[in-house]
Amino acid sequence: DCDFTVSSLPSSWGVEKTSFWAYSTEVRATTSCDAPINLMLGVYYEKNKRKFANGAIGGGLENNGSPDVYLTNAKDSQSKGETVALFGEVRWDITDKLDASGGVRYSHETKDSYFRHRYANPALQALGRFLQGDCDLNPSTCIIANDKFRNWSPEVTLRYRPNEDVMFYGSYKTAFKSGGFSKSGIYGSLATVEDSRYEPETVKGFEAGIKATLFDRQLRLGLQAFRYKYSNLQVDFFNAPIFAFSTINAGTAITKGIEFDAEFSPRAVPGLDLRATLNYNRARYGSFADAPCYAGQSVAAGCSIRPGGQTRQDLSGVPTAMAPEWSGSVGINYETPVSAGLKLGISADARYSDSYLASAFGQPFSKQSSYVNLDASARVRTEDDRWELAVIGKNLTNKFVVQGVYDGPLTGSGTGTATGVPADQVGFAGMPRTVQLRLSWKY
């Protein structure tokens, strides 16, 4: 329930209600034989339903004759889904040092959805911007989608252990994310089912690495490299001029990088653990030539007006959202007895993030600069873990971190022209500095 506009125009606000219900179950059968080959077979089933309702007022078009008093428009939507997945894996101990595993997952999904305006102000209907409909009485006045999605996702992994402390591995993996139906659009005279429907997302790629324990297992190291290609990447887009959220498909995206992690627990100092990570990740759109422009994006910034009046930009090669190239962390944890039956523990973790764009559409105002976040805690507990008293501090550096944005409604102007003015950014920030006192008791 919010009013998130910055304007001298009459206030616009909306209230939404969403409910979600789901049932799922999974059954697996696994062999554990002395033979070199073992199997795993399984089945997964899910049934779900999501309902969405929204009411809004704006532009001074409140109407006391609407189903809910004084609304400008009211809309609702529903999706019913059913999923059946079959999966299996074969594990083969080729030698005592070399093993391989391979498997596949088959998914079959159905999703039946509708979207309508159960009420729209007659003035809006006259403009053709909003249509009013009843799916039962006249299906042509609704957007209805009955979708089926099928996918095969195979993967294979090869592992080599020259000794019990070192393992090399390489994998080829694929995955599947279901398609669906966006429920927060606007049903106007030009709207089609394709404005709400989005396609499944798939990914395939390779990763390889090494895991090792050294110095009599006091030091644990991990190093891996990866490259994955996403097809039909699902991206959330807020069309600010018409107050509509939707999920759309980018062409492709490629992410590749290297990850390193280490943990050191010296026996010379019992209770001490030191840890560190360092990650490099280059995430770019491979092809996204028909991406929506952000509100107020100018021609010089890459936006153009295409036939039909749509504003589009080419994001091919541009970084994806929320994807810092460099990130890392260092941490320490120390625990020691302080009296009979009691232990004292302290910990601290510092996390670094490189700068990134919080917008999936290249909005320059969405840039989050690099930052360091610090967490720390101190705790006293009994040796049998019966109770614990802890003081926990999060984000002690009190950094303001943007975790997602969209264009502010009624801000920005001139999209696709030479005089475009970028929209303000409305979004979500991480928690500020917090300190918590926690008492835990196990019984």
Side-chain angles (χ1 to χ4, degrees), residues 73-150:
N73 65 282
K75 55 190 176 183
D76 62 74
S77 181
Q78 178 177 280
S79 286
K80 294 180 180 180
E82 189 172 39
T83 300
V84 177
L86 305 174
F87 52 92
E89 183 182 62
V90 178
R91 178 154 183 162
W92 179 23
D93 294 326
I94 304 171
T95 71
D96 59 347
K97 296 182 179 180
L98 181 67
D99 69 81
S101 61
V104 65
R105 182 184 187 96
Y106 172 73
S107 301
H108 180 277
E109 299 193 2
T110 60
K111 291 187 177 179
D112 299 329
S113 309
Y114 76 82
F115 169 64
R116 64 169 183 164
H117 278 115
R118 60 186 179 86
Y119 171 76
N121 186 289
L124 295 176
Q125 293 188 58
L127 294 173
R129 290 288 301 275
F130 291 75
L131 298 182
Q132 182 174 313
D134 188 310
C135 301
D136 295 326
L137 297 178
N138 187 358
S140 65
T141 62
C142 300
I143 294 178
I144 298 174
N146 298 314
D147 294 314
K148 289 183 172 61
F149 305 113
R150 300 179 180 88

Side-chain angles (χ1 to χ4, degrees), residues 15-324:
V15 59
E16 297 183 353
K17 181 179 181 180
T18 298
S19 62
F20 182 78
W21 172 92
Y23 166 80
S24 65
T25 187
E26 180 174 302
V27 178
R28 296 188 181 202
T30 305
T31 66
S32 181
C33 306
D34 293 333
I37 294 179
N38 280 280
L39 306 174
M40 184 274 290
L41 296 173
V43 60
Y44 173 84
Y45 175 79
E46 178 181 319
K47 191 169 186 177
N48 60 66
K49 179 192 292 186
R50 183 190 174 197
K51 293 182 177 180
F52 169 83
N54 167 272
I57 65 171
L61 295 177
E62 300 87 345
N63 186 350
N64 62 2
S66 63
D68 302 304
V69 178
Y70 297 120
L71 286 181
T72 299
N73 65 282
K75 55 190 176 183
D76 62 74
S77 181
Q78 178 177 280
S79 286
K80 294 180 180 180
E82 189 172 39
T83 300
V84 177
L86 305 174
F87 52 92
E89 183 182 62
V90 178
R91 178 154 183 162
W92 179 23
D93 294 326
I94 304 171
T95 71
D96 59 347
K97 296 182 179 180
L98 181 67
D99 69 81
S101 61
V104 65
R105 182 184 187 96
Y106 172 73
S107 301
H108 180 277
E109 299 193 2
T110 60
K111 291 187 177 179
D112 299 329
S113 309
Y114 76 82
F115 169 64
R116 64 169 183 164
H117 278 115
R118 60 186 179 86
Y119 171 76
N121 186 289
L124 295 176
Q125 293 188 58
L127 294 173
R129 290 288 301 275
F130 291 75
L131 298 182
Q132 182 174 313
D134 188 310
C135 301
D136 295 326
L137 297 178
N138 187 358
S140 65
T141 62
C142 300
I143 294 178
I144 298 174
N146 298 314
D147 294 314
K148 289 183 172 61
F149 305 113
R150 300 179 180 88
N151 176 263
W152 291 90
S153 295
E155 68 176 59
V156 62
T157 299
L158 187 67
R159 289 171 287 264
Y160 174 64
R161 296 179 177 84
N163 57 61
E164 63 180 6
D165 294 326
V166 179
M167 181 189 73
F168 299 90
Y169 73 94
S171 300
Y172 171 75
K173 297 183 178 182
T174 65
F176 159 80
K177 182 192 290 185
S178 175
F181 188 83
S182 297
K183 299 176 173 59
S184 187
I186 288 179
Y187 182 37
S189 58
L190 300 178
T192 69
V193 66
E194 299 306 323
D195 296 324
S196 294
R197 177 191 283 136
Y198 56 92
E199 297 299 319
E201 174 186 317
T202 59
V203 60
K204 59 183 177 181
F206 299 88
E207 64 179 66
I210 178 175
K211 297 181 182 293
T213 53
L214 307 175
F215 304 116
D216 195 21
R217 300 198 172 186
Q218 297 180 90
L219 176 64
R220 180 186 58 79
L221 298 174
L223 179 66
Q224 67 176 11
F226 61 89
R227 184 187 187 277
Y228 286 99
K229 181 178 181 179
Y230 294 81
S231 299
N232 283 333
L233 180 72
Q234 294 171 5
V235 181
D236 291 327
F237 175 63
F238 179 62
N239 192 338
I242 62 171
F243 287 70
F245 283 96
S246 60
T247 299
I248 62 176
N249 293 103
T252 62
I254 297 174
T255 177
K256 54 186 177 180
I258 299 175
E259 298 178 342
F260 170 79
D261 63 274
E263 185 174 357
F264 182 50
S265 302
R267 292 195 181 90
V269 187
L272 177 65
D273 292 299
L274 304 173
R275 51 188 175 268
T277 65
L278 181 63
N279 306 307
Y280 172 74
N281 175 50
R282 180 179 173 83
R284 299 287 188 273
Y285 291 115
S287 61
F288 199 5
D290 202 32
C293 297
Y294 55 82
Q297 184 176 0
S298 67
V299 173
C303 180
S304 62
I305 300 177
R306 306 282 174 88
Q310 295 180 325
T311 54
R312 292 291 184 264
Q313 61 173 321
D314 186 354
L315 289 176
S316 303
V318 174
T320 59
M322 306 296 296

